[in-house]
Amino acid sequence: MKKSLFFIPLIFILFSGCDTLSQVAQSTVQQYGNPTSLEIGNGLKQALEIGTGKSSDQLSTVDGFFANAAIKILFPPEAQKAEKTLRSIGLGKLADNVILSLNRAAEDAAKGARPIFVNAIKQMTIQDVTNILLGRQDAATEYFKRTTTLQLSASFKPVIQASLNKVGATKYYGDAATAYNKVPFVTKLNPDISDYVMQKAIDGLFVEIAKEELNIRQNLSARTTPLLQKVFGYYDKNKR
């Protein structure tokens, strides 16, 4: 009991830096028994860094969004009728260019997500660690939604706008909206699509993070270090 209490204050060390965390984690891993509080904190941090890093890296590659059916960005719901109309009048290529460019912008913006997630991990409290490890299977994802959405929005907004301009999405969607708005008796579309793409990019990140979280909770082969094996073995015995 004394040993456990001794380690609880040390959990705060886990937010001091990546190199230090790795050294401390390796020196405190025990071969048998339940993990200490420090090991739980380090193990969870390691798992979250792996999951969020993998998600950010995957989505920031070419076709990270476009080739992923679960998160591929399509025309906004209010513009889907416009897409059908454009395709019916021979402007299918324009509609295709819009969809491709929206996804390229999201892929470009996803590159900036990793440091925001790392910062959120560093801000975790002891209670956060406990709630995430022994909570629901999407507890980490929900934590990130609460703690990073505002930062992601602020960070992604200018990047999304610049990316939209760079890949031609602003032009393509503007052209599509202009073409559709010329059709008689239709509800006019707003040619500004940046907020929509920003939200879809953030939603896509959380979808992928949820997949990674579930993978490491359920898949033994995803626990690639002794520390992860020990901490999530403890989770397996105590999960709700």
Side-chain angles (χ1 to χ4, degrees):
M1 182 65 179
K2 290 182 179 179
K3 187 173 184 180
S4 177
L5 290 173
F6 173 74
F7 275 112
I8 288 176
L10 292 181
I11 199 170
F12 291 103
I13 299 174
L14 74 89
F15 310 119
S16 63
C18 222
D19 292 337
T20 302
L21 290 172
S22 298
Q23 294 170 2
V24 173
Q26 291 302 318
S27 66
T28 57
V29 171
Q30 299 174 352
Q31 188 174 0
Y32 303 105
N34 291 335
T36 65
S37 296
L38 179 61
E39 288 174 329
I40 290 174
N42 281 335
L44 185 63
K45 176 185 183 297
Q46 192 175 87
L48 295 179
E49 285 191 343
I50 290 172
T52 56
K54 184 177 179 181
S55 298
S56 300
D57 290 346
Q58 286 179 340
L59 296 186
S60 63
T61 60
V62 173
D63 287 341
F65 274 84
F66 186 72
N68 187 331
I71 60 174
K72 182 178 181 180
I73 302 176
L74 304 175
F75 272 70
E78 67 273 14
Q80 288 175 3
K81 182 178 178 181
E83 178 187 3
K84 292 180 181 178
T85 300
L86 291 174
R87 294 188 186 280
S88 71
I89 60 177
L91 294 176
K93 180 62 175 176
L94 176 59
D96 290 340
N97 286 338
V98 169
I99 292 173
L100 178 61
S101 60
L102 298 183
N103 286 275
R104 290 290 184 259
E107 291 158 8
D108 202 30
K111 298 172 185 176
R114 184 193 286 262
I116 293 174
F117 291 130
V118 169
N119 183 64
I121 292 169
K122 290 180 178 179
Q123 301 303 316
M124 283 181 184
T125 65
I126 296 174
Q127 192 61 53
D128 290 329
V129 169
T130 303
N131 290 344
I132 290 172
L133 181 64
L134 300 180
R136 301 190 327 180
Q137 293 189 332
D138 63 347
T141 303
E142 290 301 312
Y143 170 82
F144 283 124
K145 285 182 180 180
R146 292 193 306 272
T147 61
T148 69
T149 295
L150 289 178
Q151 283 182 285
L152 287 170
S153 298
S155 174
F156 274 31
K157 179 67 173 179
V159 176
I160 285 286
Q161 188 61 63
S163 298
L164 289 171
N165 294 336
K166 182 179 73 175
V167 301
T170 302
K171 178 182 183 303
Y172 286 130
Y173 189 77
D175 289 347
T178 298
Y180 178 73
N181 289 342
K182 290 179 180 179
V183 177
F185 311 116
V186 300
T187 302
K188 305 304 181 185
L189 291 179
N190 182 352
D192 184 2
I193 199 173
S194 59
D195 284 342
Y196 168 75
V197 177
M198 177 189 69
Q199 188 57 56
K200 296 298 287 185
I202 293 172
D203 290 346
L205 273 171
F206 288 136
V207 167
E208 290 304 300
I209 288 172
K211 286 170 56 179
E212 291 301 320
E213 178 180 6
L214 189 62
N215 182 47
I216 204 165
R217 287 186 187 274
Q218 295 185 344
N219 185 359
L220 294 179
S221 65
R223 301 169 187 179
T224 54
T225 70
L227 182 58
L228 290 182
Q229 291 164 11
K230 184 173 186 178
V231 169
F232 282 91
Y234 174 76
Y235 157 75
D236 289 338
K237 292 189 297 183
N238 293 276
K239 61 186 176 182
R240 296 172 185 173

